[in-house]
């Protein structure tokens, strides 16, 4: 039975990696307000929903009724949108 050929592995070269990283787009770290704002929005959203349920649907704004759920979930969705900007 014939013996199969052994394939040679490609050697890593750092010159190929350095040319691809200079494509014009530089990645800078995000400002400090991005994670702080995201965490604050998550806490506000969860707090709003918790207060709404524990108060028997009377607080934070009784006139809004079930729209309080939309406010709480909107805060958390806004946090996800802010987190999409975090690098």
């Amino acid at each position: 039975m014939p013996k199969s050929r052994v394939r040679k592995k490609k050697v890593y070269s750092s010159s190929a990696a350095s040319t691809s990283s200079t494509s014009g787009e530089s990645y800078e770290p995000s400002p400090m307000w991005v994670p702080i704002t995201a965490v604050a929005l998550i806490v506000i959203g969860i707090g709003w929903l918790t207060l709404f349920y524990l108060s028997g649907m009377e607080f934070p704004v009784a006139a809004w009724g079930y729209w309080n759920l939309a406010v709480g979930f909107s805060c958390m969705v806004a946090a996800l949108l802010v987190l999409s900007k975090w690098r």
Side-chain angles (χ1 to χ4, degrees):
M1 175 165 282
K3 186 177 179 184
S4 62
R5 285 194 254 162
V6 177
R7 296 182 188 180
K8 293 183 180 180
K9 294 182 180 179
K10 291 185 179 181
V11 178
Y12 172 76
S13 67
S14 62
S15 64
S18 66
T19 58
S20 65
S21 66
T22 59
S23 62
E25 189 174 338
S26 63
Y27 294 107
E28 297 178 9
S30 298
M32 193 62 184
W33 64 266
V34 173
I36 293 171
T37 305
V39 169
L41 284 170
I42 290 171
V43 168
I44 289 169
I46 292 173
W48 192 285
L49 293 173
T50 304
L51 181 63
F52 178 64
Y53 278 117
L54 292 180
S55 69
M57 301 179 196
E58 292 181 13
F59 295 108
V61 182
W64 290 358
Y66 284 106
W67 283 103
N68 284 301
L69 295 175
V71 173
F73 284 116
S74 296
C75 286
M76 291 188 281
V77 168
L80 288 175
L81 293 175
V82 170
L83 283 174
S84 71
K85 304 295 180 191
W86 192 20
R87 292 183 213 148

